[in-house]
Amino acid sequence: MAARPQPTARRIGLGHELRQLRKAAGLTIAEAVVGLHFDESTLQRVETGWKSFRQAGHLRELLERYGVTDEEQVNRLVALQREASSREWWTGTSTNMLSGMPRFLGVESAARAIRIFHPTVVPGLLQTRAYAQAVHELHKPIDETTTEFVQQSVELRMKRKEAVTRDDDPIKVWAVLYEPALRYPMGGADVMREQYAALAELAAMENVTLQVLPQAGDGYVAHHDVNIMILGDGLPTTVQTDTAWFTVAVTDKPREVGRFSRMFDAMVAAARPPGDTPQVLQKLAREIKE
C-alpha cells in the first residue's frame, strides 16, 4: 500500500507552528483573537490540530497579527492549511466510528513509530481478520453494536494494519504481548493458530519488535491498553487509550505521555527478549486445545 496523504498530520504540524508563532509574539490565545473573525475556542482547536480554519483569509489575518510578513512563509503555511483541510482516507465510514476514533486514526496515520500493549487481547494493529472478527463478535451483545458496525470496524482494522506491512516506509511497531491475552481462545483453535502464525511473520520483519510478557512474572503489568504514537518531525508524541464509556481518548499532554512511556518501559524490562517470541508462539500453537 502506498503512503497516504495525512491531513491530520498536517493539522498537527500547522497548529504546532502557529502556537510557536503566537508565543514568539508574546500573545495569549485570548489576546491573539481580539478583533479577528474567529474566537478563542477555534484558535485553541487549530493549535492542537483538532481542526483547520475554514478560510485561508482567517489564517492570513492571524499571521499578520503575529507579525509574519515574509510572503514565502505565509504561502507555505497557507498551502499547509489547504492540505490539512483535505479528506482523510477513512472518510465515509466515520459515521459508524466510536467517539474520538477519527482523531485517533489521523494521529496513528501520522506516526513514525508505535508502541503498544493490551492486557486481554492481541493489539488491534497486529490482529488477523478472523481474530478481529471474533473480538468484535464477542463484544457485539455487550455493546449492542450492529452487524454493519462489526463489518466496517474489522475492515477498518485491516486497512490500518497495512501501514505495518507496506513496502514503502512502513511504520515501526514495538509491541509487548501479554501471555494471558495470547492464551485466551478468541474464536477457537484454528483462529488462534492463524494468529500465532501471523505474529511470527510480523516478528520476522525489520520494522516490528514483539516481546512476550510472561504470566508467571512479577514485573509491572498495565491494567489497560497502552498505545504510544511517536510522530517525529518535532511533533508531539501522543498516547491513546479506550475508556469505559465506549470512546477513544487521545492526548499529547507531557504528563500522560511520560506516564504511558514509563508503563511501557517497565513491561519491556519484564518481558522476554524479542528473539524468544517465535519459540513462545510455536509452544502456544502446540498447546491450544480444539
Short mmCIF file of all heavy atoms in Angstrom, two decimals, residues 24 28 31 42 61 71-72 74 84 96 103 127-128 130 138 177 181-182 189 210 222 237 262 287:
data_model
loop_
_atom_site.label_atom_id
_atom_site.label_comp_id
_atom_site.label_asym_id
_atom_site.label_seq_id
_atom_site.Cartn_x
_atom_site.Cartn_y
_atom_site.Cartn_z
N ALA A 24 5.97 33.47 20.31
CA ALA A 24 7.05 34.39 19.93
C ALA A 24 6.55 35.83 19.87
O ALA A 24 7.30 36.78 20.13
CB ALA A 24 7.63 33.98 18.57
N THR A 28 -1.37 35.75 24.37
CA THR A 28 -2.19 34.64 24.82
C THR A 28 -3.20 34.34 23.72
O THR A 28 -3.35 35.13 22.77
CB THR A 28 -2.95 34.98 26.11
OG1 THR A 28 -3.88 36.04 25.82
CG2 THR A 28 -1.99 35.42 27.22
N GLU A 31 -5.73 37.14 23.62
CA GLU A 31 -5.21 38.36 23.01
C GLU A 31 -5.07 38.20 21.50
O GLU A 31 -5.28 39.16 20.75
CB GLU A 31 -3.85 38.70 23.63
CG GLU A 31 -3.93 39.12 25.10
CD GLU A 31 -2.57 39.18 25.77
OE1 GLU A 31 -1.60 38.55 25.23
OE2 GLU A 31 -2.45 39.83 26.81
N THR A 42 -11.89 28.32 18.62
CA THR A 42 -11.43 27.93 17.28
C THR A 42 -9.91 27.91 17.22
O THR A 42 -9.31 26.93 16.74
CB THR A 42 -11.97 28.90 16.22
OG1 THR A 42 -13.39 28.81 16.19
CG2 THR A 42 -11.40 28.56 14.84
N GLU A 61 -4.93 36.58 8.36
CA GLU A 61 -5.08 37.67 9.32
C GLU A 61 -4.43 37.31 10.65
O GLU A 61 -3.92 38.19 11.35
CB GLU A 61 -6.54 38.06 9.49
CG GLU A 61 -7.44 37.03 10.11
CD GLU A 61 -8.87 37.56 10.28
OE1 GLU A 61 -9.10 38.76 9.99
OE2 GLU A 61 -9.74 36.77 10.70
N GLU A 71 6.39 36.68 2.60
CA GLU A 71 5.38 36.10 1.74
C GLU A 71 5.62 34.61 1.50
O GLU A 71 4.66 33.82 1.38
CB GLU A 71 5.35 36.84 0.39
CG GLU A 71 4.12 36.53 -0.46
CD GLU A 71 2.82 36.95 0.23
OE1 GLU A 71 2.85 37.88 1.08
OE2 GLU A 71 1.78 36.35 -0.08
N GLU A 72 6.87 34.20 1.44
CA GLU A 72 7.18 32.79 1.23
C GLU A 72 6.68 31.95 2.41
O GLU A 72 6.11 30.87 2.22
CB GLU A 72 8.69 32.60 1.05
CG GLU A 72 9.08 31.16 0.73
CD GLU A 72 10.56 31.03 0.43
OE1 GLU A 72 11.20 32.06 0.13
OE2 GLU A 72 11.08 29.89 0.51
N VAL A 74 4.30 32.82 4.55
CA VAL A 74 2.84 32.88 4.55
C VAL A 74 2.26 31.89 3.55
O VAL A 74 1.34 31.12 3.86
CB VAL A 74 2.36 34.30 4.23
CG1 VAL A 74 0.83 34.31 4.01
CG2 VAL A 74 2.73 35.27 5.36
N ALA A 84 -4.20 20.37 5.01
CA ALA A 84 -4.81 19.94 6.26
C ALA A 84 -6.32 19.86 6.15
O ALA A 84 -6.98 19.17 6.95
CB ALA A 84 -4.43 20.91 7.38
N ASN A 96 -19.93 5.63 11.59
CA ASN A 96 -20.09 4.41 12.38
C ASN A 96 -18.94 4.17 13.35
O ASN A 96 -18.84 3.10 13.95
CB ASN A 96 -20.22 3.19 11.46
CG ASN A 96 -21.53 3.19 10.68
OD1 ASN A 96 -22.56 3.53 11.23
ND2 ASN A 96 -21.47 2.84 9.42
N ARG A 103 -10.09 11.10 15.19
CA ARG A 103 -8.89 11.80 15.68
C ARG A 103 -7.74 10.82 15.89
O ARG A 103 -6.61 11.07 15.49
CB ARG A 103 -9.23 12.52 16.99
CG ARG A 103 -8.05 13.07 17.76
CD ARG A 103 -7.38 14.21 17.04
NE ARG A 103 -6.35 14.83 17.86
CZ ARG A 103 -5.53 15.76 17.44
NH1 ARG A 103 -5.61 16.20 16.21
NH2 ARG A 103 -4.63 16.29 18.24
N GLN A 127 -3.74 -7.85 14.61
CA GLN A 127 -4.73 -8.92 14.52
C GLN A 127 -4.95 -9.40 13.10
O GLN A 127 -4.88 -8.63 12.14
CB GLN A 127 -6.07 -8.43 15.09
CG GLN A 127 -6.05 -8.17 16.58
CD GLN A 127 -7.35 -7.58 17.09
OE1 GLN A 127 -8.33 -7.45 16.33
NE2 GLN A 127 -7.39 -7.20 18.36
N THR A 128 -5.24 -10.70 12.95
CA THR A 128 -5.71 -11.22 11.67
C THR A 128 -7.18 -10.85 11.51
O THR A 128 -7.85 -10.45 12.46
CB THR A 128 -5.59 -12.76 11.63
OG1 THR A 128 -6.46 -13.32 12.62
CG2 THR A 128 -4.16 -13.22 11.88
N ALA A 130 -9.71 -12.88 10.97
CA ALA A 130 -10.56 -13.80 11.73
C ALA A 130 -10.53 -13.49 13.22
O ALA A 130 -11.57 -13.55 13.90
CB ALA A 130 -10.11 -15.24 11.48
N LEU A 138 -17.57 -11.09 19.98
CA LEU A 138 -17.64 -11.31 21.42
C LEU A 138 -18.25 -10.11 22.13
O LEU A 138 -19.03 -10.25 23.08
CB LEU A 138 -16.24 -11.60 21.97
CG LEU A 138 -16.15 -11.93 23.46
CD1 LEU A 138 -16.86 -13.25 23.77
CD2 LEU A 138 -14.69 -12.00 23.91
N LEU A 177 3.34 -8.36 24.17
CA LEU A 177 2.19 -9.25 24.12
C LEU A 177 2.08 -9.98 25.46
O LEU A 177 3.01 -10.69 25.85
CB LEU A 177 2.36 -10.26 22.99
CG LEU A 177 2.65 -9.68 21.60
CD1 LEU A 177 2.99 -10.80 20.62
CD2 LEU A 177 1.47 -8.87 21.10
N ALA A 181 -3.28 -12.91 27.39
CA ALA A 181 -4.01 -12.45 26.21
C ALA A 181 -3.76 -13.38 25.03
O ALA A 181 -4.67 -13.68 24.25
CB ALA A 181 -3.60 -11.03 25.86
N LEU A 182 -2.52 -13.87 24.91
CA LEU A 182 -2.19 -14.79 23.83
C LEU A 182 -2.87 -16.15 24.02
O LEU A 182 -3.15 -16.85 23.06
CB LEU A 182 -0.67 -14.99 23.74
CG LEU A 182 0.15 -13.80 23.24
CD1 LEU A 182 1.64 -14.10 23.38
CD2 LEU A 182 -0.19 -13.49 21.78
N ALA A 189 -9.56 -22.66 18.21
CA ALA A 189 -8.18 -23.09 17.99
C ALA A 189 -7.62 -22.68 16.63
O ALA A 189 -6.48 -22.22 16.52
CB ALA A 189 -8.08 -24.61 18.15
N LEU A 210 8.49 -7.70 18.69
CA LEU A 210 7.47 -8.30 19.55
C LEU A 210 8.13 -8.98 20.74
O LEU A 210 9.06 -9.76 20.58
CB LEU A 210 6.64 -9.34 18.77
CG LEU A 210 5.91 -8.86 17.51
CD1 LEU A 210 5.10 -10.01 16.91
CD2 LEU A 210 5.01 -7.67 17.80
N ALA A 222 0.29 -3.35 32.96
CA ALA A 222 -0.74 -2.31 32.88
C ALA A 222 -2.12 -2.95 32.89
O ALA A 222 -2.32 -4.03 32.32
CB ALA A 222 -0.55 -1.49 31.60
N THR A 237 4.66 13.58 20.71
CA THR A 237 4.27 12.19 20.90
C THR A 237 2.89 12.17 21.54
O THR A 237 2.57 12.98 22.41
CB THR A 237 5.29 11.47 21.80
OG1 THR A 237 6.54 11.40 21.11
CG2 THR A 237 4.83 10.06 22.14
N ARG A 262 6.54 5.26 30.81
CA ARG A 262 7.08 4.51 31.95
C ARG A 262 6.40 3.15 32.06
O ARG A 262 7.06 2.15 32.39
CB ARG A 262 6.92 5.31 33.24
CG ARG A 262 7.82 6.55 33.31
CD ARG A 262 7.83 7.16 34.69
NE ARG A 262 6.51 7.67 35.10
CZ ARG A 262 6.05 8.88 34.80
NH1 ARG A 262 6.79 9.72 34.07
NH2 ARG A 262 4.86 9.28 35.22
N GLU A 287 -0.01 -26.06 22.19
CA GLU A 287 -0.79 -26.26 23.42
C GLU A 287 -2.26 -25.91 23.27
O GLU A 287 -3.08 -26.35 24.09
CB GLU A 287 -0.20 -25.43 24.56
CG GLU A 287 1.19 -25.88 25.00
CD GLU A 287 1.77 -24.99 26.08
OE1 GLU A 287 1.12 -23.97 26.41
OE2 GLU A 287 2.85 -25.32 26.60
#
